[in-house]
Amino acid sequence: MKYILFIALPALLLVSLAFTYVRHADKPKSIADDDQPRKVVKTDAEWKKLLTPDQYAILREHGTERAFSSPLNDIHQHGTFYCAGCHNPLFSSDTKFDSGTGWPSFYAPIAKNSVIEKKDKSYGMVRTEILCSVCSGHLGHVFDDGPKPTGLRYCMNGVAMTFEKK
Ligand SMILES: [Zn+2]
């Protein structure tokens, strides 16, 4: 009897360990709940091939599109806004609001770590730049004159994003 226990207990342990491993391996990779999000790193030449000239100018050269120039500004359907460079989900339509600025505006990113913030001191202003957390592409800026519940206004370039309906 003792002998059976000696065999059975380690065997049970191994089986449960194996199941735990399989469960974790099966879990789809989500950027939102990942502590260390995936990173996309490309050379300038690779980005140039992948992006349109407008997307490249904004995402990789920190440009700004003309106000009211992006069709994404007028989108009010349910869906998700993704990074045009790496398809990282950035904003939900649930947090989109009409800021009147001519740029797609949101009061919060879709997940805390979907974007990263960086101090931007260009053009004699101190602003907070918003970058994609996966490919470090420039998306826009965040200001503290947004609506409730966050009071933030993520002022984004529509060219830097794509939209997919829910
Ligand atoms: Zn990206």
Side-chain angles (χ1 to χ4, degrees):
M1 188 61 194
K2 253 187 184 166
Y3 176 74
I4 288 169
L5 272 179
F6 268 119
I7 299 291
L9 278 178
L12 263 175
L13 205 76
L14 271 175
V15 167
S16 62
L17 270 175
F19 269 111
T20 313
Y21 177 77
V22 167
R23 265 219 307 276
H24 278 279
D26 274 355
K27 204 175 163 234
K29 262 272 182 258
S30 159
I31 297 166
D33 57 25
D34 203 336
D35 287 339
Q36 286 184 312
R38 71 189 169 100
K39 288 280 175 201
V40 171
V41 180
K42 292 182 193 296
T43 64
D44 286 344
E46 286 171 327
W47 281 122
K48 262 186 189 154
K49 260 191 222 167
L50 199 79
L51 302 170
T52 67
D54 281 350
Q55 288 172 337
Y56 184 86
I58 300 211
L59 283 164
R60 309 315 310 179
E61 297 183 314
H62 303 247
T64 302
E65 71 192 13
R66 270 183 308 110
F68 299 101
S69 65
S70 168
L72 266 58
N73 189 43
D74 294 320
I75 282 179
H76 298 292
Q77 292 153 306
H78 283 291
T80 305
F81 294 82
Y82 294 87
C83 172
C86 70
H87 207 250
N88 178 28
L90 301 171
F91 296 96
S92 158
S93 59
D94 297 344
T95 64
K96 194 172 189 286
F97 68 98
D98 189 4
S99 63
T101 58
W103 288 285
S105 303
F106 307 83
Y107 64 73
I110 201 161
K112 224 190 206 166
N113 60 2
S114 60
V115 296
I116 42 177
E117 296 185 358
K118 198 179 154 192
K119 277 274 164 285
D120 175 10
K121 291 183 181 168
S122 62
Y123 302 106
M125 296 177 271
V126 181
R127 294 179 294 173
T128 305
E129 183 186 5
I130 294 298
L131 305 157
C132 169
S133 63
V134 173
C135 72
S136 306
H138 170 79
L139 303 167
H141 291 90
V142 64
F143 303 94
D144 57 9
D145 57 6
K148 281 177 182 174
T150 62
L152 298 172
R153 171 171 60 94
Y154 286 81
C155 184
M156 299 293 106
N157 288 285
V159 165
M161 302 186 294
T162 57
F163 176 73
E164 285 174 30
K165 258 200 282 184
K166 212 175 250 173

